[in-house]
Amino acid sequence: MVENGHQQPPAPAPPPPTVQQPLGAARGPAFPPAEQLLQLNYCIHSNPSWAQTAILAFQHYIVMLGSIVMIASILVPQMGGSHGDKARVIQVLLFMSGINTLLQALCGTRLPTVMGPSFAYMLAVLSIINDFRDEDFPSEHERFLHTMRAIQGSLIISSFINMLLGFSRAWGEFTKLLSPLIVVPYVCVVGLGLFGRGFPQLATCVELGLPMLVFLVVFQQYMKHLHPSAHPVLERFALLFCIGLVWAFAAILTAAGAYNNVREITKQSCRTDRSFLISSAPWIKIPYPFQWGTPIFRASHVFGMMGAALVTTVESTGTFIAASRFAGATPPPAHVLSRSIGLQGVGQLLDGIFGSIVGTNASVENVGLLALTHVGSRRVVQISTVFMFFFAIFGKFGAFFASIPLPIFAAIYCVLYGLVAAVGVTFIQFTNNNSMRNIYIMGLALFLGISIPQYFVMNTNGGSGHGPVHTGGGWFNDILNTIFASGPMVALIIGTLLDNTLDAHNTHDERGVPWWAPFQHKKGDSRNDEFYSFPIRISDRIPTRFL
């Protein structure tokens, strides 16, 4: 070839193909789904130092104490009980909470969940109280004892509902119908459905409740960033600091006479000396079986308690799912939920035998405390039972902490219930967020899970327990009024029904089933045994059909 000096320049390279970015991808980072929360300081298997464990365990005891005092303060006076009777009821509730918590932490879900008294039994108990309201008794104390014996009998019989659902594995088979799409409104309502125990209760003494709420947020979230050494202390123990500060403020106001000329309801909410627990509680009292007398069994009372037992099954399951997220564990498998509900039935049987005023379920506020402290250690909750047993037996010491004004607890619940509600939202990452079908189901289940129970609560006579379902059959009324007054129950019914019938087969992936299903089987995920297996030696002594 001969060069002619007129070489053509190379052709320009074609521009690279334009890649269509997803909407918003160029405007900020995208966060992939995460099965476990990455900001936990201690998960279910890891443990703080023994000193920190003891303080955190005491914190769990303080948090669950509010519900115990609230339930006893509502029910015991209506039963004709005195301040001494209320103190003994609080001791029994504490003692049984310790037993049931230990049962669940060792042999049940194995999650760091505290088992406390359940408000789901309130309507059934109020119905029993109303049945004896017009009867003549030699004294109010005799009426209290008679009512307690009737409650005992109802708790004993209704406990077999949970045992049957759990040990037959029926409940575990039902939970296999769940999906992340159902879990979102279900767990959200576990927290949101308790809003009545938050700011409305706080507002009964706003000068105590509002500072407690503000201090807790400021101390625990803002002040921990002032110095690196303050971060772990305030993050884990700010709750105790705030309780001590506001409680001392309440004592100063009481001593200064700020509540001498106010309404009686304000005195009960604000004063630190209106519980009368310290003066009436015994120094030492060990709860024992049938301490109120022989249980009374009446069919009309049992049905209402059965409805409450079913509600606690649903509410505890939602709380266990939330606890697994805050503890850094996988969602509890079906067989674990079955055995935990079966043991909850055993716990309710013991509640009836020892003379508790209500049955127990998983404490939502204590699960919120896992999130607040970033500590999901199982050992912390196990150690908390030591405080429950100690203060249940040594009544004077327990009465001292039980005299904390309830608006202080209500301010704490505003934060803790909100955390549990929010963790339900995190399960949406495993579904198709842009599916109109999913949006419809989540929205309807969430709204009706709040709206329907609110209707039942607003139309229920708090003194008699009569709800909007008021037919000639009292047992039928008690069951329906109890079931539909529970937000998690309503949300679960609506979500499960819609998700499994509305084009379920063609939307298998967008419902999040491929992610959820492996966790529901014992061998479906290798981590199931790591988190939920029995302690050493226990598994060798239990028949395999229950494992």
Side-chain angles (χ1 to χ4, degrees), residues 218-508:
V218 172
F219 275 67
Q220 210 266 342
Q221 294 296 324
Y222 289 93
M223 292 187 67
K224 70 179 182 181
H225 297 292
L226 295 180
H227 194 275
S229 61
H231 190 284
V233 176
L234 290 178
E235 184 175 73
R236 296 170 200 171
F237 310 119
L239 181 64
L240 289 179
F241 296 153
C242 294
I243 290 176
L245 185 64
V246 179
W247 191 13
F249 177 60
I252 293 172
L253 290 179
T254 301
Y259 301 116
N260 289 345
N261 300 311
V262 296
R263 295 179 303 166
E264 185 61 29
I265 189 172
T266 304
K267 291 181 180 180
Q268 293 177 0
S269 299
C270 300
R271 294 182 67 98
T272 57
D273 58 357
R274 298 300 288 183
S275 65
F276 303 106
L277 292 175
I278 297 178
S279 59
S280 56
W283 278 103
I284 299 177
K285 180 72 175 181
I286 301 177
Y288 56 90
F290 307 118
Q291 58 182 320
W292 309 112
T294 305
I296 297 174
F297 300 97
R298 184 178 293 184
S300 59
H301 296 160
V302 170
F303 286 106
M305 285 290 186
M306 286 182 175
L310 186 59
V311 167
T312 57
T313 296
V314 173
E315 293 182 350
S316 289
T317 300
T319 308
F320 291 146
I321 294 173
S324 67
R325 192 97 171 109
F326 288 137
T330 56
H335 72 280
V336 171
L337 292 175
S338 286
R339 80 188 186 206
S340 67
I341 296 304
L343 281 176
Q344 184 170 300
V346 173
Q348 184 174 326
L349 176 64
L350 294 175
D351 289 335
I353 292 174
F354 278 82
S356 179
I357 200 170
V358 292
T360 56
N361 68 353
S363 172
V364 179
E365 53 265 34
N366 288 88
V367 171
L369 186 59
L370 302 179
L372 188 72
T373 59
H374 296 188
V375 177
S377 170
R378 180 191 293 133
R379 178 184 291 175
V380 169
V381 168
Q382 292 173 336
I383 297 299
S384 71
T385 61
V386 175
F387 292 100
M388 298 177 201
F389 290 136
F390 177 84
F391 290 113
I393 294 172
F394 297 95
K396 293 289 186 185
F397 299 101
F400 174 73
F401 294 105
S403 64
I404 299 175
L406 289 178
I408 295 179
F409 288 109
I412 299 170
Y413 296 159
C414 289
V415 176
L416 301 185
Y417 291 155
L419 289 170
V420 174
V423 81
V425 180
T426 65
F427 286 93
I428 200 173
Q429 65 186 312
F430 306 113
T431 69
N432 181 1
N433 302 337
N434 299 311
S435 166
M436 288 302 298
R437 172 194 179 274
N438 289 359
I439 293 172
Y440 177 87
I441 293 174
M442 283 189 291
L444 191 60
L446 183 61
F447 181 80
L448 292 182
I450 298 174
S451 184
I452 291 177
Q454 179 65 11
Y455 166 77
F456 273 77
V457 170
M458 291 175 60
N459 291 276
T460 295
N461 185 327
S464 64
H466 290 317
V469 180
H470 196 53
T471 65
W475 62 272
F476 180 77
N477 301 336
D478 291 342
I479 290 177
L480 290 188
N481 287 325
T482 300
I483 287 176
F484 288 104
S486 168
M489 173 67 85
V490 175
L492 181 66
I493 291 173
I494 294 173
T496 304
L497 181 64
L498 292 177
D499 189 43
N500 287 278
T501 58
L502 187 59
D503 197 22
H505 180 70
N506 296 326
T507 55
H508 183 267

Side-chain angles (χ1 to χ4, degrees), residues 524-538:
D525 189 279
S526 59
R527 292 166 293 178
N528 285 351
D529 280 341
E530 176 188 353
F531 296 129
Y532 299 108
S533 60
F534 286 113
I536 297 174
R537 297 193 183 98
I538 291 182

